Structure formats: C-alpha cells, structure tokens
Amino acid sequence: MTARSSDVESENRPPRRPQQQTQSIWGLVIGVSLISTGLAAYEIVPASVTPLIRDSLQIGPTIAGLLVGIMFGSAVITSLPIGAVLDRTNSRTAIAVAVLILLVAGSWGWVAGRHGSYWSVIASRALGGVAYVIVWNAGIDIVSRAVNSAQRATAVGIFTASGPIGFAVGQGVGPYIAGRFGWPAIFVAFTGPALVGLVIFWPLSQGHGRSHGDAPTLTEFSAVLRNPSVWLVGLLGFLGYALYLFVNSWGASYLTQELGFPLAIGGLLVAVFPAVGILARISSGLVSDRLFAGRRRPVMLGSFAVAAPALLIFTHFRALSLLVLLLLLSGFAIQLILGLSFTYVRELVDPQVAATAVAFQTSIGLAGAFLAPIAGGAIVNLAGLNAAFLLAGLLAICGIVAAWCAPEPGT
C-alpha cells in the first residue's frame, strides 16, 4: 500500500496560529452542520403539512407517507456506492455538489407541487435523498479528518445533532411556510440554510477534503464488507435507528389509544424523545472522549443497558411524570448510540476506506429506520401496542449483547 501524502491544497496556504486553526476547524464543523440541518429539515417537512398535501393532490395516507419514506429508501440504496466514491474523491467538493443537487431537487419539487404532479414530486424527493446521504457521509468524513483523534467523537457528535435539529426546524416552521406561500414552497425553503452553511464551510474547509494518494483498491474496499467488527457496529446502528423510529412512530399512538391522552398532549410528550437527541448526540462524543478516555464500547453498552429496561417497563405506568422520565431516558440513551456509531465504525478500518465504512453504517442504520415503523405496525395489528413495546425492549437487550461483543478500536 502506498502511503498518502498531505493534502496538496494545504501546501499553498500560509501557516495558521493554533488559535486561528482551532477557530477555522470549529467554523468548518458549524458550516457543514448547517448544511446538514437544512437537508434534515427538507427531509421531514412534508410530515408537518401532510393534510394539506393530501387534500391538494387527492392521495391517501400511505401514498402521502412516501413523501418522507422515499428519502430513507433512496439513502439506503445509494449510501454505500457514494461512500466508495468519497474514498476516491474529495469530500469537500462532494458537499458542494450535494448542495447544488438539493437546489435542483427543491426547485423541481416546488414546480411539480404547483402543477399537482405527485410522482414528479416523489422523483424530486428521491434525488434529494441522494443529496442528503452525500452530505451525511462526506460531512462525517471531513469533520473526522479535520480534528485530532482526542476530539473526533465530540466533533462528529456535534455534526450528527444536525439531524434532530433539522427535524425540529422542519416540523415547526413547515406549517407556517405552507400557510404563507403554499405547501409546494416547503421544498425550496430549506435550501437557504444549506446555502448559508456552504458559504461558511467552503473557505474554512480548504485542505481538509481528503489526503491525496492512491485510491483504495477493490481488495481494500471489500475488506470493509468482510470485517466482522464493522458488521457488529453496523448491527448496533441498525438496532439504535430501529428503536428511535419505532418510538417516534408508535409512542403517540400508545399514549392516545391505550392511556386516553388527547392527541395534542400525546404528540407533545413523544416530542420529548427526539428533542433530547440534540443534547445526546452532541454529548455522545464528549462522554466517550472525556469520561471514557476515547473508548467507544462502554458508551454503547451503557446506552442499550439504559434503553432496554426503559422500553420494557414503559407500558406498565400511567403517571405523566414517569412516562416523561422514561421517554427522556430512552431517548437520550438511544441517541447516544446514533451519535457515536459513525465515529466508532470508521476507527475500525484503514483510513483509506473510512468513508466507505461510514457509508455502510449509514445504509445499515437507515435500513433500521425504514423497517421499524413498518414492522412495528404489523406487530401492533397482530398483537397490540403492549407487545410491540415489549419487542422493542427485547431488541435493546440484543443491543446489550452486541455491544458486549464489540471490539474497542485499536485492539
């Protein structure tokens, strides 16, 4: 294997003082996180105005759900090929290209929505899913390269917090945009934050795209897929995303159907679950880097150990305060997993194929996110909500076993 040289872009830059360099790096993190926040808001925003879209296009709830689901499906299919490309190109350039793709997808969706063309809107959303997964994989890659190993998990955790932040922005602002400008405008509205993020990110990311040298060989690429440790961490991500989407999808139904809470209160309570993820994803790296001296396995093990009993006993309580506490505990624990797993997996492989490993983790995790609401619905239909939450708790126990078996990077 030929050793890589330093990024040629950095050779032409004057040396920076340590303080300037630190500010530049964290500015880079903020810029790419803002891009990802815009894309996450674009991903979820149709869910905030589904009744308007259904009435306008005369479609049913299942078909309407595809407006969000198609982006998960698109990301699952394209993530691994995109990771392989990122290992052979510049992540910095890829992020800029992804923002341009978002502009095309958003404009396409806006025009298609104004003309009432449902399938054209779906096609635009599929293209938007490609932009999202490029930014997610390339963002993790470039943030990981920009910081030193002692701060890597912290920086990546901050970046992954862009997901729940974007979801909150999309859900909160979407109805206002639709009411003021018409629902098709939701598809172009969040290109603005992405463009602002790109303006911040582009000058500060110079020299951090990747190291230039030999592209990974087919043997090196396939070694990622043959690595049992990568599959094990992939399983942790799959379980984490499955639990995250299951509670998001069926928590409100349990509170309203089984406990009799009004729909507005049930939705507000369940909103606690993803909202705590902003803190969890940011702190996941801090917990690992500072509390456990850079070790990843104890955080994964502890997170599933907290989530499992919280989910298993969730349906045994009716008190509002206890339900909120359980949602906070399980939401925080599960999203510690989501924040840390991407740093974890890239540290298990050769740096030349790190982007491929991150893309694999993204694909496997989003597969869990895609399947969990569907499988949860089937279980609810067959055995009810109590059985579905019991199965979710058992999946978390499987996560404990997988985390116990997982290796520590470098061992």
Side-chain angles (χ1 to χ4, degrees):
M1 183 186 303
T2 304
R4 294 186 172 205
S5 59
S6 299
D7 195 321
V8 294
E9 292 174 347
S10 64
E11 294 176 359
N12 298 321
R13 293 182 298 154
R16 292 180 175 147
R17 293 193 300 270
Q19 184 179 2
Q20 289 179 316
Q21 188 173 22
T22 299
Q23 291 173 346
S24 175
I25 289 171
W26 290 107
L28 179 158
V29 174
I30 291 170
V32 73
S33 297
L34 187 56
I35 295 171
S36 180
T37 297
L39 274 154
Y42 167 82
E43 180 179 38
I44 198 64
V45 69
S48 70
V49 293
T50 296
L52 292 178
I53 297 174
R54 287 183 58 192
D55 289 344
S56 176
L57 299 181
Q58 295 295 299
I59 55 177
T62 303
I63 297 295
L66 192 59
L67 286 165
V68 174
I70 188 63
M71 287 195 66
F72 283 107
S74 175
V76 169
I77 293 170
T78 60
S79 181
L80 195 56
I82 286 170
V85 171
L86 289 175
D87 276 325
R88 291 163 169 79
T89 187
N90 191 302
S91 294
R92 178 175 181 255
T93 304
I95 289 171
V97 170
V99 173
L100 293 178
I101 293 174
L102 174 64
L103 287 173
V104 173
S107 301
W108 179 4
W110 175 63
V111 172
R114 286 173 60 86
H115 287 84
S117 178
Y118 170 79
W119 289 110
S120 186
V121 172
I122 290 296
S124 76
R125 298 283 291 168
L127 181 63
V130 175
Y132 180 81
V133 80
I134 291 174
V135 168
W136 187 259
N137 290 338
I140 291 172
D141 183 59
I142 198 168
V143 167
S144 298
R145 293 179 186 277
V147 301
N148 59 48
S149 59
Q151 297 176 312
R152 182 175 297 136
T154 300
V156 173
I158 291 171
F159 172 76
T160 61
S162 62
I165 293 172
F167 273 34
V169 170
Q171 293 278 35
V173 179
Y176 170 78
I177 294 172
R180 180 70 177 82
F181 303 103
W183 67 263
I186 62 174
F187 299 125
V188 293
F190 300 106
T191 60
L195 283 171
V196 173
L198 183 61
V199 170
I200 297 170
F201 165 80
W202 188 253
L204 298 177
S205 61
Q206 187 177 3
H208 291 297
R210 62 164 289 175
S211 296
H212 289 269
D214 291 344
T217 65
L218 182 60
T219 300
E220 291 168 334
F221 172 80
S222 63
V224 174
L225 304 183
R226 296 196 310 269
N227 188 329
S229 297
V230 169
W231 281 95
L232 197 52
V233 175
L235 175 60
L236 295 175
F238 177 91
L239 293 172
Y241 269 103
L243 293 173
Y244 177 63
L245 264 294
F246 169 78
V247 177
N248 271 303
S249 300
W250 294 103
S253 296
Y254 172 77
L255 294 174
T256 56
Q257 295 177 21
E258 300 296 323
L259 301 185
F261 286 105
L263 182 61
I265 293 178
L268 182 62
L269 289 177
V270 174
V272 169
F273 184 84
V276 75
I278 298 172
L279 176 61
R281 297 193 194 204
I282 291 174
S283 62
S284 64
L286 286 170
V287 171
S288 178
D289 287 338
R290 304 292 176 83
L291 188 59
F292 292 102
R295 288 178 293 155
R296 314 308 184 196
R297 181 171 165 268
V299 180
M300 293 290 190
L301 185 59
S303 296
F304 279 112
V306 171
L311 292 171
L312 287 171
I313 66 175
F314 183 76
T315 58
H316 291 77
F317 295 96
R318 303 182 67 88
L320 184 63
S321 58
L322 285 173
L323 291 172
V324 171
L325 177 61
L326 290 173
L327 285 170
L328 283 170
L329 282 174
S330 58
F332 186 84
I334 289 169
Q335 292 183 86
L336 279 177
I337 298 162
L338 305 186
L340 189 60
S341 63
F342 296 97
T343 299
Y344 194 173
V345 75
R346 77 184 311 279
E347 291 174 340
L348 295 171
V349 301
D350 189 285
Q352 284 186 294
V353 287
T356 298
V358 169
F360 174 84
Q361 188 74 14
T362 300
S363 185
I364 294 295
L366 292 183
F370 179 75
L371 293 173
I374 300 170
I379 295 165
V380 169
N381 286 333
L382 289 173
L385 282 160
N386 288 343
F389 271 89
L390 174 62
L391 182 59
L394 294 176
L395 285 178
I397 292 174
C398 293
I400 295 173
V401 176
W404 183 267
C405 299
E408 198 63 59
T411 60

